[in-house]
Amino acid sequence: MDHVASPSRCCLSLFFLVVAITLLVRSWHPPSKTASSFLDCSQYSLWCTSKNLIQAKSNLHDKPLLIKQPQVVLPDYSSKTHQHPLDPLTIQEINQVLAILSSFPPFLSSFPSINSVSLDEPEKSQVLNWTIGHPLPPRKAFVIAYLEGQSHILSLDLASNKVTSHEIKSNSGYPILSKEDMTVAAQVPFSNPGFNRAVTDRGVALSDTVCVALAPGWYGREEEGRRIVKVQCFSSQGTSNYYMRPIEGLTITVDIDKKQVVRISNTGREIPIPHATNTDYKYDSFNNSPKEGLLNMRPINLISMVQPKGPSFSVEDGHVVKWANWEFHLRPDPRAGMIISRAMVRDIESGAMRSVMYKGMASELFVPYMDPSVGWYFKTYIDAGEYGMGLSAFSLVPLNDCPRNAYYMDGVFAAADGRPFVRSNMICVFERYAGEIGWRHYDVNNKVRESRPKVTLVTRMAASVGNYDYIIDWEFQMDGLIRIKVGLTGMLMVKGTPLQNMNQVLPHENTSGTLVSENVIGVLHDHFVTFYLDMDVDGPVNSFVKVNLVKEETSPGESPRKSYLRTKRHVARSEREAQIKLKLYDPSEFHVVNPEKKSRVGNPSGYKVVPGATAASLLDINDPPQVRGAFTNNQIWVTPYNRSEEWAGGLLVYQGKGDDTLAVWSERDRAIEKRDIVVWYTLGFHHIPCQEDFPIMPTVSASFELKPVNFFERNPILRVPPCQE
Amino acid sequence: MDHVASPSRCCLSLFFLVVAITLLVRSWHPPSKTASSFLDCSQYSLWCTSKNLIQAKSNLHDKPLLIKQPQVVLPDYSSKTHQHPLDPLTIQEINQVLAILSSFPPFLSSFPSINSVSLDEPEKSQVLNWTIGHPLPPRKAFVIAYLEGQSHILSLDLASNKVTSHEIKSNSGYPILSKEDMTVAAQVPFSNPGFNRAVTDRGVALSDTVCVALAPGWYGREEEGRRIVKVQCFSSQGTSNYYMRPIEGLTITVDIDKKQVVRISNTGREIPIPHATNTDYKYDSFNNSPKEGLLNMRPINLISMVQPKGPSFSVEDGHVVKWANWEFHLRPDPRAGMIISRAMVRDIESGAMRSVMYKGMASELFVPYMDPSVGWYFKTYIDAGEYGMGLSAFSLVPLNDCPRNAYYMDGVFAAADGRPFVRSNMICVFERYAGEIGWRHYDVNNKVRESRPKVTLVTRMAASVGNYDYIIDWEFQMDGLIRIKVGLTGMLMVKGTPLQNMNQVLPHENTSGTLVSENVIGVLHDHFVTFYLDMDVDGPVNSFVKVNLVKEETSPGESPRKSYLRTKRHVARSEREAQIKLKLYDPSEFHVVNPEKKSRVGNPSGYKVVPGATAASLLDINDPPQVRGAFTNNQIWVTPYNRSEEWAGGLLVYQGKGDDTLAVWSERDRAIEKRDIVVWYTLGFHHIPCQEDFPIMPTVSASFELKPVNFFERNPILRVPPCQE
């Protein structure tokens, strides 16, 4: 290639790198004198760890550092003021919420437990009309509290210090189980002699016993009229991975409000506790044992994504992410985990920012296990509504969960007593270069050879919901594509068994999963993650178009061909027409278009939902868990925008009956053509465990995409420069 | 985390990097004195470009450098001797083949055109029994030649300098169209006054006219009994992207052997040649026009995958790749492009290398366009057999097609006259770190927090088959997973149209694609890539098991649950039982197991084929193109190993009738249980073009995986160390 000289933008133009310290400020500063002095190699010995750098800088700036390590002192949240209508509540605001609730008459006699405190978003129109620099819409808080069997749904106006709405719900599901609830539930059994005997009878010391609080689902039985938790226990003796050592068949039903044991089910006394051998995953647990995995593997040299000038993105006012042609608002949320709002991409012709999506988030999960036995039938988790994806998302591990140069965002949530706490490093944002190709071509006729590397931006969180870890990535590409990826790792939920070897299984016997180790069955289960995608393609007024591929037959003599394909566009008029089950042999594309916005050559501006590999729920549609998880009955749904319909499993999911799910809303069959619409996409996994998943699972991932379709007049990355030495 | 100190293996342990020069030798050398001296910062100014480094070293070593730039002089191939039974033919050997053929009696009177010369692989048993250091099996060459309407299939013994087998085939398809054939075909029309008039009548200067040679498929018409090429032409006036300026409706049928025009079809005189505006993609063509794509985009800082100590893999004897726990043989091939052989992974317990796959490659492609009109119906390409994926793979662009530190492998092929030529930088191998997570968990109960970054190894080639570019990656993970990924980019095959805007389309009119620009329709089409996967899981004797997920109903009173899932294992006895169409609502896993090799707890050792997002062919099964592309009738097939069944579309595909495809072989329904079996997987894409694909397509990718299932006793990356500062 004979390219004209141009500064390389995508890679290293020199073979040596220097430290780059970039501070998080409203916009990028030019490298400070101090930073640039790091070019002086003689200082490396003094300045070679980020720890030093942070210490060196932290006294100069009160903003969090871009290269952030756990050692970094947290920013002073109390002084944080919100700059955007969608900024999450601050510590100050959560304290204000607590103050308002404390003087709220219904709560004067006895104060409820606070299950979630989050931003009560302004009306969409207010947010859309707001521009930077202008006054923010009134700040409001949305609170779910629980008191004496009743769920309280409140909205608070922080300007007037008033509760502006208060609704009480009974017996239609309960709020998210709080950390405090879980702690209590896990402790209650130990005050029960029968439980203690059951444990010690299995040869497990009470001091080694770890119990976990499990959502019971709803089966119209003992779950009726009271809030219960199913408690199951494990032996932690000899391992930090107690999940691999279940006390099988021991299930304690706890009334969490009365803090009483309702029932102890103790079957499976004959089932041994699996051994601790080879179950640990802590790196420092391997010191005294041979490191097979290392001894037999060729060592891997250092490899890192390096950015000598630092990342190209900025996070302005703490939440507005700007990168390449993208801009969006990013915030942590106790229930969804991570919320992307107002995603806009720059038009290559006009330079204007164009709306793609108003709001996107993981709305709900459904994880049914496939064992109908007494200790297992209820394991059909609806994680976001029962545990909270954000509340279950903990600090990411720098350099392991996220690469160097990642920016870390903290979550600010409320505890059960209503007091705020900070979940540090809960979300990371980083630029990604994986050696992928944005576009390329070699032309044999004129010998033109052009290629462009692909650089993307990723926002990531990881929720550890009990045994499982869910890694959720939103990846933004310069060509306008958004990839939403879910990774599954962590521990299998395993079942104890007398089986030591599959040769002990009778020919027609069928276990509920795979024997992954002696006495350990990895139980078959599914994972479904349903995403809420409030698409606003060039504005809120959109339509959903099913572009169906159909086979056409030629008429005799018309062509040497017998058949070919054509596209048939069907604009969905109402919700039922947009209940989609994917079919390999009746394929379609799924476009969200703006019927009013046509391209230069007359195609409607659109984005398409591109399904990836996925799985469908095969459970009986009337099975209680499937009724609660009915939002997985289709892979795609489209509903008219309704601010009260954000959680696919309903607002109050814990012990919910499934009477307030996406499936119920959609059956109203409301009009969705030329309206503000919300697309729901469900990513599914069937998980047949294998021994490789023991004792901790290598990450399994699946994804789907939101992809521009006639949104741009042409390839938006055509003019991105190549990488040159 | 409080980890014990351990050398970081996955990332940068220091904040500065140094140049690392690693030489390709049989095994890694410790950094040479010269290399390590680069640690001295004072030398950066002298040694900061790879070019200098290469020049500094190239006189010391005759081996190609690991950090290889286009400037590098090619290794001395004539002196290359093969070290492995599967090494490709050398320049020396191809010259020897030419010598043998020149004195081969049938070719004395007139010498054929040579369509492909490649290694005639030794018997599988010979390769399996061979160990390093021992004498190689006899070297043989496989030759396909073409002379006067006949295809000659020859095998040559290079030790005895003899043709050991010679078969002549007539009228059952022809060999790959050679580069020379294509050149002749594109020139022939210009000697035809009618053609020249047709072109100039469209207002295109002959000097601006670029013609391309297209395979005609087979329709039992003019293709019968002679070798023809369909020639279509474009205007290159004002653009290097002539594909966007078709002379629509002008199709010249050329008898390539007689070098004569058979027929000129000149419809569509009314269709204008689309404008050149915005069609170019050459970076240096943008200099005199505003760079919208850049002006409106925030600049991207340098980002690069950096390895201060160089890559961790070695390429021994030029073809044996060793990395982490993997080892495999990699070679270029004129037809398949890239062949992976003898893929083996190290067992974490025993440390022994275990066989996974004997041979894997892209066997065939099928690309039917969806327009039955006279100028388009025949466009149903079977690329590997008609053009050759290897012959169409050109030099990769360093830093754009492959990241820094990639190792480049050259291809050595034969031209039509039988003489060898070198296709430099045809394949690249690199380590990849994309910020992904190998496994992780945070435990709320004991506060254990562990995470491991994922580093993988990729081998890549890119075939530019006319307008389209196919990027093929084989990615190897330390957890034993192999991901096979196909990326599509390059140019759409577009159709000229009088349409300027979609508002000119009548309500019930249906175009054969999308109007991607004024007068330009991106025609709807499919892409299918069928992979040959000779799985040898712990040896050649394997079985194919369909692990079906089925819904079970509970009996009344048995459980609060109505339904759950179970797996039903079905071992395929013969080929028809392994003809698989994927179903979302009747899902299965597809295991290749070694029934003789059980894990510690009695599960058969296996690898599963994990389909990704894919597409199925919807054409009429009796449509001539679908008969030729019948290998796409299922997504998965399994056949008993047969060294003559490697090319899913047959050996001689050009104008072939489809009488020698995978579908024909599979219908024999041979036994496949407990045998040496070959799995065939087809990756499919439906491509409904959009304006973003104009004038060159952003890469679209899809992949599938080969994943260990009870192959390892447990998670093989459990003990990989975390990344630490």
Side-chain angles (χ1 to χ4, degrees):
Chain A
M1 284 193 303
D2 176 29
H3 286 300
V4 293
S6 85
S8 173
R9 282 257 162 283
C10 53
C11 65
L12 237 51
S13 62
L14 296 176
F15 250 62
F16 64 92
L17 295 178
V18 296
V19 178
I21 304 305
T22 323
L23 301 172
L24 171 63
V25 288
R26 291 211 186 175
S27 63
W28 292 113
H29 285 166
S32 70
K33 206 167 169 307
T34 328
S36 56
S37 75
F38 289 15
L39 281 161
D40 176 355
C41 300
S42 65
Q43 295 196 17
Y44 281 141
S45 53
L46 294 171
W47 298 94
C48 65
T49 78
S50 56
K51 193 175 172 187
N52 293 345
L53 293 169
I54 286 152
Q55 287 169 350
K57 301 243 138 267
S58 52
N59 49 6
L60 307 177
H61 301 268
D62 67 350
K63 307 267 187 187
L65 286 161
L66 192 68
I67 299 168
K68 192 171 167 190
Q69 302 296 321
Q71 301 93 329
V72 174
V73 288
L74 289 169
D76 176 5
Y77 285 95
S78 61
S79 71
K80 169 91 171 67
T81 54
H82 29 77
Q83 310 289 345
H84 190 286
L86 298 176
D87 283 352
L89 298 180
T90 62
I91 285 183
Q92 211 169 28
E93 289 174 319
I94 292 176
N95 280 323
Q96 192 185 349
V97 166
L98 181 55
I100 298 170
L101 293 177
S102 306
S103 58
F104 183 54
F107 298 157
L108 288 179
S109 53
S110 60
F111 196 72
S113 75
I114 305 301
N115 297 80
S116 78
V117 177
S118 57
L119 174 73
D120 192 5
E121 290 185 22
E123 290 300 326
K124 196 166 169 178
S125 57
Q126 289 179 295
V127 177
L128 292 173
N129 293 331
W130 176 83
T131 50
I132 193 154
H134 290 68
L136 296 175
R139 296 282 289 176
K140 295 181 177 179
F142 180 75
V143 175
I144 301 180
Y146 180 76
L147 181 64
E148 293 149 10
Q150 296 183 313
S151 303
H152 297 255
I153 316 298
L154 306 104
S155 181
L156 284 64
D157 182 318
L158 301 182
S160 61
N161 274 306
K162 283 200 176 52
V163 172
T164 52
S165 84
H166 175 215
E167 187 188 357
I168 298 178
K169 296 199 172 194
S170 309
N171 295 324
S172 61
Y174 300 109
I176 288 172
L177 200 65
S178 71
K179 182 170 168 294
E180 294 72 8
D181 288 332
M182 288 188 256
T183 310
V184 168
Q187 284 163 350
V188 164
F190 289 90
S191 56
N192 181 298
F195 167 80
N196 294 349
R197 211 176 311 111
V199 169
T200 48
D201 285 354
R202 300 285 190 103
V204 179
L206 290 172
S207 55
D208 289 332
T209 305
V210 177
C211 298
V212 299
L214 307 175
W218 184 85
Y219 294 89
R221 299 173 151 208
E222 60 192 2
E223 312 84 17
E224 198 61 74
R226 58 181 167 185
R227 200 163 63 113
I228 61 167
V229 174
K230 299 273 191 174
V231 178
Q232 292 188 341
C233 308
F234 306 83
S235 167
S236 65
Q237 185 269 323
T239 182
S240 53
N241 190 357
Y242 52 85
Y243 282 110
M244 297 302 114
R245 306 200 65 194
I247 302 174
E248 192 56 47
L250 180 62
T251 308
I252 306 89
T253 306
V254 172
D255 182 318
I256 186 65
D257 294 323
K258 295 208 178 85
K259 300 183 173 39
Q260 286 173 356
V261 170
V262 173
R263 195 162 53 82
I264 298 179
S265 166
N266 187 13
T267 61
R269 288 182 179 77
E270 75 288 359
I271 301 172
I273 311 295
H275 290 297
T277 323
N278 289 331
T279 59
D280 214 328
Y281 57 99
K282 268 169 73 181
Y283 189 65
D284 57 14
S285 73
F286 304 148
N287 294 339
N288 307 324
S289 62
K291 294 194 174 36
E292 299 90 343
L294 294 180
L295 293 176
N296 296 330
M297 208 181 272
R298 292 168 60 100
I300 299 297
N301 293 344
L302 319 179
I303 180 166
S304 182
M305 266 188 285
V306 169
Q307 303 177 275
K309 294 182 180 174
S312 315
F313 66 89
S314 69
V315 183
E316 302 183 4
D317 303 325
H319 294 285
V320 176
V321 179
K322 295 184 178 181
W323 173 77
N325 46 350
W326 281 103
E327 179 176 327
F328 57 90
H329 185 277
L330 173 66
R331 75 177 197 263
D333 180 79
R335 183 161 179 169
M338 187 164 66
I339 296 177
I340 307 280
S341 300
R342 301 226 60 196
M344 295 182 287
V345 66
R346 197 174 292 279
D347 186 76
I348 49 169
E349 326 285 326
S350 69
M353 294 305 293
R354 294 170 60 186
S355 169
V356 173
M357 182 178 73
Y358 182 76
K359 184 176 183 178
M361 62 180 184
S363 170
E364 196 47 273
L365 287 80
F366 180 42
V367 188
Y369 283 77
M370 302 303 172
D371 187 326
S373 67
V374 60
W376 280 81
Y377 76 89
F378 62 86
K379 297 180 180 179
T380 53
Y381 306 111
I382 303 189
D383 287 322
E386 292 177 336
Y387 297 98
M389 292 297 278
L391 296 171
S392 305
F394 296 88
S395 300
L396 294 158
V397 187
L399 304 181
N400 291 276
D401 281 332
C402 313
R404 181 175 309 286
N405 294 335
Y407 165 78
Y408 293 90
M409 186 181 289
D410 300 339
V412 178
F413 304 139
D417 60 6
R419 285 186 304 176
F421 67 89
V422 174
R423 183 63 53 79
S424 66
N425 294 6
M426 178 191 150
I427 292 175
C428 71
V429 183
F430 60 90
E431 256 169 312
R432 174 180 178 277
Y433 169 63
E436 289 160 358
I437 300 172
W439 60 261
R440 83 174 314 273
H441 182 60
Y442 173 74
D443 197 285
V444 273
N445 290 303
N446 56 28
K447 307 285 176 287
V448 173
R449 190 180 70 155
E450 294 271 344
S451 180
R452 302 291 183 270
K454 180 187 285 188
V455 180
T456 63
L457 184 80
V458 176
T459 74
R460 171 176 296 167
M461 61 159 280
S464 303
V465 191
N467 54 309
Y468 251 105
D469 292 54
Y470 294 91
I471 302 159
I472 298 186
D473 285 2
W474 286 71
E475 181 176 20
F476 295 81
Q477 296 191 174
M478 285 184 224
D479 60 9
L481 183 144
I482 305 174
R483 183 175 297 102
I484 297 105
K485 189 172 174 184
V486 174
L488 307 177
T489 176
M491 252 60 77
L492 288 171
M493 184 62 80
V494 303
K495 184 178 187 180
T497 173
L499 286 176
Q500 295 264 335
N501 192 295
M502 288 304 288
N503 60 23
Q504 299 161 337
V505 179
L506 303 170
H508 293 296
E509 203 178 339
N510 197 342
T511 62
S512 58
T514 309
L515 190 67
V516 293
S517 184
E518 287 80 0
N519 307 115
V520 183
I521 284 178
V523 176
L524 177 62
H525 60 284
D526 290 342
H527 295 268
F528 300 100
V529 187
T530 299
F531 286 86
Y532 172 95
L533 305 163
D534 179 0
M535 302 300 290
D536 279 12
V537 178
D538 280 318
V541 179
N542 289 173
S543 292
F544 180 76
V545 184
K546 188 176 162 188
V547 182
N548 190 208
L549 279 165
V550 293
K551 182 181 74 173
E552 302 274 343
E553 304 277 352
T554 57
S555 41
E558 177 191 350
S559 166
R561 288 271 286 271
K562 281 190 192 309
S563 62
Y564 57 98
L565 302 187
R566 280 283 185 267
T567 56
K568 295 253 185 287
R569 297 174 65 88
H570 177 75
V571 179
R573 282 155 308 187
S574 62
E575 290 176 286
R576 283 196 196 135
E577 291 180 4
Q579 296 176 354
I580 308 286
K581 289 183 172 64
L582 300 174
K583 299 192 187 80
L584 185 64
Y585 282 89
D586 180 16
S588 294
E589 283 194 351
F590 309 100
H591 296 193
V592 176
V593 302
N594 185 320
E596 307 304 328
K597 178 83 170 10
K598 294 279 204 303
S599 72
R600 194 183 73 250
V601 295
N603 294 306
S605 169
Y607 255 71
K608 61 180 175 181
V609 178
V610 185
T614 192
S617 182
L618 306 177
L619 294 180
D620 185 309
I621 199 159
N622 298 314
D623 203 348
Q626 190 60 44
V627 171
R628 302 177 70 230
F631 51 89
T632 64
N633 290 354
N634 297 295
Q635 287 79 53
I636 296 175
W637 312 71
V638 180
T639 57
Y641 173 80
N642 176 340
R643 63 176 284 148
S644 74
E645 295 174 2
E646 285 199 318
W647 309 109
L651 182 64
L652 301 174
V653 165
Y654 196 91
Q655 282 174 236
K657 301 177 173 63
D659 48 15
D660 181 32
T661 70
L662 169 57
V664 175
W665 312 332
S666 174
E667 275 307 302
R668 288 187 235 147
D669 203 27
R670 294 160 293 185
I672 56 172
E673 187 178 359
K674 294 189 181 174
R675 282 194 171 52
D676 188 355
I677 56 176
V678 175
V679 176
W680 306 78
Y681 180 79
T682 295
L683 195 57
F685 304 76
H686 294 301
H687 189 173
I688 305 174
C690 57
Q691 287 181 241
E692 287 79 2
D693 296 333
F694 179 89
I696 188 165
M697 293 166 43
T699 307
V700 174
S701 298
S703 64
F704 70 100
E705 298 167 347
L706 302 173
K707 190 176 183 192
V709 54
N710 305 314
F711 180 88
F712 294 109
E713 296 290 356
R714 55 205 166 91
N715 180 341
I717 52 169
L718 178 66
R719 289 159 186 266
V720 168
C723 172
Q724 296 170 308
E725 281 295 347
Chain B
M1 285 191 303
D2 176 28
H3 287 300
V4 294
S6 85
S8 172
R9 283 261 164 278
C10 51
C11 64
L12 237 51
S13 61
L14 295 176
F15 249 64
F16 62 92
L17 295 177
V18 297
V19 178
I21 306 305
T22 323
L23 300 174
L24 172 64
V25 289
R26 290 211 186 173
S27 63
W28 292 114
H29 284 166
S32 71
K33 207 165 165 308
T34 328
S36 55
S37 74
F38 291 165
L39 281 161
D40 174 357
C41 299
S42 66
Q43 294 196 18
Y44 281 141
S45 54
L46 294 170
W47 298 94
C48 66
T49 77
S50 56
K51 192 174 171 187
N52 293 346
L53 294 169
I54 286 151
Q55 287 169 350
K57 302 246 138 260
S58 52
N59 48 7
L60 307 177
H61 302 267
D62 67 348
K63 307 268 186 184
L65 285 160
L66 193 68
I67 300 168
K68 191 172 169 190
Q69 301 297 322
Q71 300 94 328
V72 174
V73 288
L74 289 169
D76 177 3
Y77 286 95
S78 60
S79 71
K80 170 90 170 66
T81 55
H82 30 78
Q83 310 289 346
H84 189 286
L86 298 175
D87 283 352
L89 298 180
T90 62
I91 285 185
Q92 209 170 28
E93 289 174 319
I94 292 175
N95 281 322
Q96 192 185 349
V97 166
L98 181 54
I100 298 171
L101 292 177
S102 307
S103 58
F104 183 55
F107 298 158
L108 287 180
S109 53
S110 60
F111 196 72
S113 76
I114 304 302
N115 296 81
S116 78
V117 177
S118 56
L119 175 73
D120 192 5
E121 291 184 21
E123 289 301 325
K124 195 166 170 177
S125 57
Q126 290 179 294
V127 176
L128 292 174
N129 294 330
W130 177 84
T131 50
I132 193 154
H134 290 68
L136 295 173
R139 296 282 290 174
K140 294 182 177 178
F142 179 76
V143 175
I144 300 179
Y146 179 76
L147 181 63
E148 293 151 8
Q150 297 182 313
S151 304
H152 298 254
I153 318 297
L154 306 105
S155 182
L156 284 63
D157 183 317
L158 301 182
S160 62
N161 274 305
K162 282 200 173 56
V163 172
T164 52
S165 86
H166 175 216
E167 188 188 356
I168 298 178
K169 296 200 171 194
S170 310
N171 294 322
S172 61
Y174 300 110
I176 288 172
L177 200 65
S178 71
K179 182 169 168 292
E180 294 70 10
D181 288 332
M182 289 188 255
T183 310
V184 169
Q187 283 163 351
V188 164
F190 288 91
S191 57
N192 181 298
F195 167 80
N196 295 348
R197 211 175 311 110
V199 170
T200 48
D201 284 354
R202 300 284 190 103
V204 179
L206 291 171
S207 56
D208 290 331
T209 307
V210 177
C211 298
V212 299
L214 306 175
W218 185 85
Y219 295 88
R221 299 172 148 209
E222 60 192 1
E223 312 84 18
E224 198 61 75
R226 58 181 168 186
R227 198 164 64 112
I228 62 166
V229 174
K230 299 273 190 174
V231 178
Q232 292 188 341
C233 308
F234 305 82
S235 167
S236 65
Q237 184 270 322
T239 182
S240 55
N241 190 357
Y242 53 86
Y243 282 110
M244 296 303 115
R245 306 200 66 195
I247 302 175
E248 192 56 46
L250 181 61
T251 307
I252 305 90
T253 306
V254 172
D255 182 317
I256 188 61
D257 294 324
K258 295 210 179 84
K259 301 182 172 41
Q260 285 174 357
V261 170
V262 174
R263 195 161 52 80
I264 297 179
S265 166
N266 186 12
T267 60
R269 288 182 179 78
E270 74 289 358
I271 301 171
I273 311 294
H275 291 296
T277 323
N278 290 332
T279 60
D280 214 327
Y281 58 99
K282 270 170 70 182
Y283 188 65
D284 58 12
S285 72
F286 304 147
N287 295 338
N288 307 324
S289 62
K291 294 194 176 35
E292 297 92 342
L294 294 180
L295 293 176
N296 297 330
M297 210 181 271
R298 292 168 61 99
I300 299 298
N301 293 344
L302 319 179
I303 180 166
S304 182
M305 267 187 285
V306 169
Q307 303 177 277
K309 293 183 179 174
S312 315
F313 66 90
S314 68
V315 183
E316 303 183 4
D317 304 325
H319 294 285
V320 176
V321 180
K322 295 184 179 180
W323 173 78
N325 46 348
W326 280 103
E327 179 175 327
F328 57 90
H329 185 276
L330 172 66
R331 75 178 198 262
D333 180 80
R335 183 161 179 169
M338 187 162 65
I339 296 177
I340 308 280
S341 300
R342 302 226 59 197
M344 296 182 286
V345 66
R346 196 173 293 279
D347 186 74
I348 49 169
E349 326 286 326
S350 70
M353 294 306 294
R354 295 170 61 187
S355 169
V356 172
M357 182 179 74
Y358 182 76
K359 184 176 183 178
M361 63 179 183
S363 170
E364 195 48 274
L365 287 82
F366 180 42
V367 188
Y369 282 78
M370 303 302 172
D371 186 325
S373 68
V374 60
W376 280 80
Y377 75 88
F378 62 87
K379 297 180 179 178
T380 53
Y381 306 111
I382 303 188
D383 287 323
E386 291 177 336
Y387 296 99
M389 293 297 277
L391 296 171
S392 304
F394 297 88
S395 301
L396 294 158
V397 186
L399 304 180
N400 290 276
D401 280 333
C402 313
R404 183 176 309 286
N405 293 337
Y407 165 77
Y408 293 90
M409 186 180 288
D410 300 338
V412 178
F413 304 138
D417 61 6
R419 285 185 302 174
F421 67 89
V422 174
R423 182 65 51 81
S424 66
N425 295 4
M426 177 190 152
I427 292 174
C428 72
V429 183
F430 60 90
E431 257 168 311
R432 175 180 178 276
Y433 168 63
E436 288 158 0
I437 300 171
W439 59 262
R440 82 172 318 272
H441 182 60
Y442 174 74
D443 196 287
V444 273
N445 290 303
N446 56 27
K447 306 284 176 289
V448 173
R449 190 179 70 155
E450 294 271 344
S451 180
R452 302 292 183 269
K454 179 187 286 188
V455 180
T456 63
L457 183 80
V458 176
T459 73
R460 171 176 295 166
M461 62 159 280
S464 302
V465 192
N467 54 309
Y468 251 104
D469 292 54
Y470 295 91
I471 301 159
I472 299 186
D473 285 2
W474 287 71
E475 181 177 18
F476 296 80
Q477 296 189 174
M478 286 184 225
D479 59 11
L481 182 144
I482 304 174
R483 183 176 297 101
I484 298 105
K485 188 173 175 184
V486 174
L488 306 177
T489 175
M491 251 60 77
L492 289 171
M493 184 62 79
V494 303
K495 184 178 187 179
T497 173
L499 286 176
Q500 295 265 334
N501 192 295
M502 288 305 288
N503 60 24
Q504 299 161 338
V505 180
L506 302 171
H508 294 295
E509 204 176 340
N510 197 342
T511 62
S512 58
T514 309
L515 190 67
V516 293
S517 184
E518 287 81 359
N519 307 115
V520 184
I521 285 177
V523 175
L524 177 61
H525 60 284
D526 291 341
H527 296 267
F528 300 100
V529 187
T530 299
F531 286 86
Y532 171 95
L533 305 162
D534 179 359
M535 302 301 290
D536 279 11
V537 178
D538 280 317
V541 179
N542 289 173
S543 292
F544 180 76
V545 185
K546 187 176 163 189
V547 182
N548 190 209
L549 278 165
V550 293
K551 182 180 73 172
E552 303 275 341
E553 303 278 350
T554 57
S555 41
E558 177 192 349
S559 165
R561 286 273 287 271
K562 282 190 192 309
S563 62
Y564 58 97
L565 301 187
R566 279 286 184 265
T567 55
K568 294 256 186 283
R569 296 174 65 88
H570 176 75
V571 180
R573 281 155 309 186
S574 63
E575 288 176 286
R576 284 195 195 135
E577 291 181 4
Q579 296 177 353
I580 308 286
K581 289 183 172 64
L582 300 173
K583 298 192 186 80
L584 186 64
Y585 283 89
D586 180 17
S588 294
E589 283 193 352
F590 308 100
H591 297 194
V592 176
V593 302
N594 186 320
E596 306 306 328
K597 178 80 168 15
K598 294 280 203 301
S599 71
R600 195 184 71 250
V601 296
N603 294 305
S605 168
Y607 255 72
K608 61 180 174 181
V609 178
V610 185
T614 192
S617 182
L618 306 176
L619 293 180
D620 185 310
I621 200 159
N622 298 315
D623 202 348
Q626 189 61 43
V627 171
R628 304 177 69 230
F631 50 89
T632 65
N633 291 354
N634 297 295
Q635 287 81 53
I636 296 176
W637 312 71
V638 180
T639 58
Y641 172 80
N642 177 341
R643 62 175 284 149
S644 74
E645 296 174 3
E646 285 200 317
W647 308 109
L651 182 63
L652 301 174
V653 165
Y654 196 91
Q655 282 174 236
K657 299 177 173 62
D659 47 15
D660 182 31
T661 70
L662 169 58
V664 174
W665 312 331
S666 174
E667 275 307 302
R668 288 188 233 147
D669 201 27
R670 295 161 291 187
I672 55 172
E673 187 178 0
K674 295 188 180 174
R675 282 199 172 46
D676 186 356
I677 55 176
V678 174
V679 176
W680 306 77
Y681 180 79
T682 294
L683 195 57
F685 304 76
H686 294 300
H687 188 175
I688 305 174
C690 57
Q691 287 181 241
E692 286 80 2
D693 296 333
F694 179 90
I696 187 164
M697 293 167 43
T699 308
V700 175
S701 297
S703 64
F704 70 101
E705 299 168 347
L706 301 173
K707 190 176 184 193
V709 54
N710 306 315
F711 180 87
F712 294 110
E713 295 290 355
R714 53 203 168 91
N715 180 341
I717 53 170
L718 178 66
R719 289 159 185 266
V720 168
C723 172
Q724 296 169 308
E725 281 294 348

